Amino acid sequence: MQEYMDPIMLFVGLILFVFFYDYIGRKKRERDLLLDIKDNFGKVHSNKIKGKFDGIYKRLFGNMTEITYQDLNLNEVIQKMNHMTSRLGLEYFYYNLRNINLDKKELIREQAKRRSYKDKEDILEDIQFKLASIGYFKDDVLGLLDEEVDVDRELEMAAKIFSFSFLYIIISIFLFKRLAFLIAVILFAANTYIYKQFNKKTLGKLNALLKMRNIIFTAEKLTKLKNEVFSEELDEIEGILKEITPLKKTLKSFGFLSGNPEFDWAETYKNIMFLTEARKYSSSQKYFKKFKDDIFRLYFLMGKIDADIGIISIIKAYDAKDATYGEKILGKDLYNPLLKGAVANDLDLSKSILLTGSNASGKSTYLRTCGINAVFALTYGIFFGESFEIKPMIISSAIDISDSLSENLSYFMAESKTIGEMISRNDEQLILLDEIFRGTNTIDRIASATATLKYLAKNNHVVAATHDIELTILLKDLFSNKYFEEKIEEGDIKFDYLLKDGPATSRNAIAILDNLNYPREIIKEAKSLSRELEEK
């Protein structure tokens, strides 16, 4: 009997080792993760992002155009200010930044709710720790709701048969002692093949299924905290979990993937050996179709909770403040949170602004500073500066438009199309423009810019940067003139990036060329022509 027990014990010991390693690794990761969350909460940091994070946005969309999103460097904002701990939170953060909230009461309500949570940091960190178990997975979990995949009946049958491979190996040790090892290798290879075929047939959705399981059971853990924070969201989540009970039962026996390959190898081997996920994929799939809306709502609410906690951390890290909502757009000492040592400037849009100044003096940065603060104020109710009053409205921009080769549009055509869309909107807008109509000749540009800016300023709030000093005279009745300037000291150009009243009176293009050691012949002739053109 002993001759059978030794290989059986060896095999069982190997399986137990996998389980034990998985358990120890998971506990170590949890300890490190909790410490990391506690150390970083409320400090300037960003969690690394891999893959896409537009799952929620693709289903709900928002009222911000792709051009404005790119103009305001919001992708960089997400990369550098990601205080969320799960893909769900990141997806919600992205969606919300692209969906300006025009409901003043809702913005104020969310501000008040967040203020009531900010002193419960330990509970917020605990929630983020639980959400971090979901992690930043690459799989398109929401794709489970959109596509139904047919799995071959033969493959399903094979999964059921080979899910007992562990038992077959034990039996083979008794019946075929010398061949037991070979049988074990063959069975494991067969299980591996079946597992990979399932992933192939389901378009990689087997891992997504495991992630969905993690999301659902993490949500269940969070509902135990509903009396402390996020009661409204967690009450709704609790109701959803009751509704999807049949799916929960199907997923209960599934494994757990952390998203960290260092620890997930043990779980993967367990999945291969017992084929639990492969066996139950089809039965769980029917529930995704049945509970599609409930599952998406659960995903959305989990993301909202994670993002809201991330915003509380961002507020603390960047000393952000609550915006106020009225009929004005008025900011004091607003700054761009993406820039180290950013220079703060005021914003007063009681009258639209025409912004002049030389190259690299700070005009484009000021436009983005206004835009980023307006976006955060009208999505999360916060801003970066001393004070900021704003009226809920759409934010539109044309700051850095590239030629659209795919649509066969020149720069001028692409910009004109974008501004045309602003003109056609009936909603009140905050409009940010940089070098309007720069892609055409001087006379047409000044004439078109004057007429267009007059029209836009009638019912909107415009901040337009330009090099055309003529516009400061043509638009003086509708626009306030503001400018940035530079100083040339000992042949070096220096900027203070401070906004000043009035139109710009200096230019620096020739000085920059001189600074870059262009030939003296070019510099001399350029200065001469500049003086001649000014006189004319």
Side-chain angles (χ1 to χ4, degrees), residues 57 64-72 94 98 397:
Y57 179 79
M64 179 185 289
T65 67
E66 181 66 24
I67 286 172
T68 300
Y69 176 79
Q70 297 296 340
D71 276 347
L72 300 183
Y94 172 78
R98 293 198 62 170
S397 70

Side-chain angles (χ1 to χ4, degrees), residues 164-180:
F164 296 100
S165 289
F166 179 81
L167 181 60
Y168 300 154
I169 292 169
I170 297 293
I171 293 171
S172 69
I173 291 172
F174 281 102
L175 299 180
F176 313 103
K177 181 184 175 185
R178 294 182 179 178
L179 296 174

Side-chain angles (χ1 to χ4, degrees), residues 110-330:
E110 286 294 321
Q111 280 181 332
K113 188 193 297 185
R114 189 179 59 245
R115 281 195 295 269
S116 70
Y117 298 157
K118 69 177 184 179
D119 295 328
K120 299 178 179 178
E121 204 167 292
D122 288 343
I123 298 172
L124 299 179
E125 289 170 354
D126 185 38
I127 292 175
Q128 281 210 319
F129 171 66
K130 288 179 171 63
L131 289 166
S133 66
I134 298 169
Y136 290 97
F137 50 87
K138 294 181 181 180
D139 310 285
D140 181 16
V141 169
L142 291 176
L144 291 167
L145 310 180
D146 300 329
E147 300 176 34
E148 191 166 345
V149 181
D150 291 325
V151 180
D152 297 338
R153 189 168 181 80
E154 294 80 6
L155 192 59
E156 285 188 326
M157 186 61 68
K160 289 177 182 178
I161 293 170
F162 282 88
S163 65
F164 296 100
S165 289
F166 179 81
L167 181 60
Y168 300 154
I169 292 169
I170 297 293
I171 293 171
S172 69
I173 291 172
F174 281 102
L175 299 180
F176 313 103
K177 181 184 175 185
R178 294 182 179 178
L179 296 174
F181 178 76
L182 180 61
I183 291 170
V185 171
I186 292 170
L187 286 170
F188 190 78
N191 281 31
T192 303
Y193 175 79
I194 293 167
Y195 185 81
K196 287 185 174 180
Q197 283 300 304
F198 250 94
N199 254 320
K200 185 178 178 182
K201 292 285 185 182
T202 61
L203 307 175
K205 288 187 171 61
L206 207 54
N207 281 335
L209 192 64
L210 295 177
K211 282 298 176 187
M212 181 59 78
R213 184 256 187 211
N214 296 352
I215 291 167
I216 290 171
F217 285 95
T218 299
E220 197 165 50
K221 292 177 185 176
L222 292 185
T223 56
K224 295 180 174 63
L225 300 169
K226 70 176 182 177
N227 292 327
E228 298 283 350
V229 290
F230 298 106
S231 297
E232 187 179 323
E233 290 85 355
L234 292 174
D235 274 338
E236 189 175 349
I237 286 173
E238 192 170 46
I240 292 171
L241 291 172
K242 288 177 182 176
E243 187 68 26
I244 64 172
T245 296
L247 176 61
K248 277 173 55 187
K249 288 180 179 177
T250 304
L251 297 177
K252 199 157 192 175
S253 60
F254 281 30
F256 177 93
L257 289 179
S258 66
N260 187 334
E262 184 182 349
F263 300 116
D264 283 345
W265 71 269
E267 187 60 50
T268 301
Y269 279 124
K270 283 158 60 181
N271 293 339
I272 290 171
M273 178 58 69
F274 299 105
L275 294 173
T276 307
E277 291 77 16
R279 278 190 295 114
K280 294 192 175 182
Y281 179 83
S282 294
S283 60
S284 64
Q285 190 173 226
K286 67 181 180 184
Y287 293 124
F288 288 124
K289 187 175 181 180
K290 181 178 179 181
F291 301 120
K292 178 178 179 178
D293 293 339
D294 290 312
I295 294 168
F296 176 71
R297 183 62 182 169
L298 175 71
Y299 192 100
F300 178 89
L301 290 169
M302 296 275 281
K304 182 181 185 302
I305 290 170
D306 192 14
D308 284 352
I309 296 173
I311 288 295
I312 293 171
S313 179
I314 287 171
I315 290 169
K316 188 176 178 181
Y318 291 87
D319 191 26
K321 297 177 177 64
D322 283 349
T324 57
Y325 303 103
E327 295 301 312
K328 300 177 182 178
I329 302 179
L330 195 64

Side-chain angles (χ1 to χ4, degrees), residues 28 35 41 49 65 98-99 117 134 163 216 341 360 404 419 489 509 529:
K28 180 181 182 301
L35 284 173
F41 194 91
I49 306 168
T65 67
R98 293 198 62 170
N99 189 43
Y117 298 157
I134 298 169
S163 65
I216 290 171
S404 181
I419 294 175
E489 299 176 355
L529 284 170

Side-chain angles (χ1 to χ4, degrees), residues 343-398:
V343 176
N345 281 294
D346 296 344
L347 172 66
D348 184 353
L349 269 170
S350 51
K351 195 175 183 182
S352 288
I353 294 172
L354 195 65
L355 198 60
T356 50
S358 50
N359 297 294
S361 60
K363 298 190 302 297
S364 298
T365 299
Y366 182 74
L367 291 174
R368 291 189 172 95
T369 298
C370 296
I372 289 172
N373 277 284
V375 168
F376 270 96
L378 297 177
T379 54
Y380 288 104
I382 64 171
F383 72 96
F384 307 95
E386 283 303 310
S387 64
F388 192 32
E389 178 184 339
I390 189 168
K391 181 181 179 182
M393 65 183 67
I394 297 296
I395 300 169
S396 302
S397 70

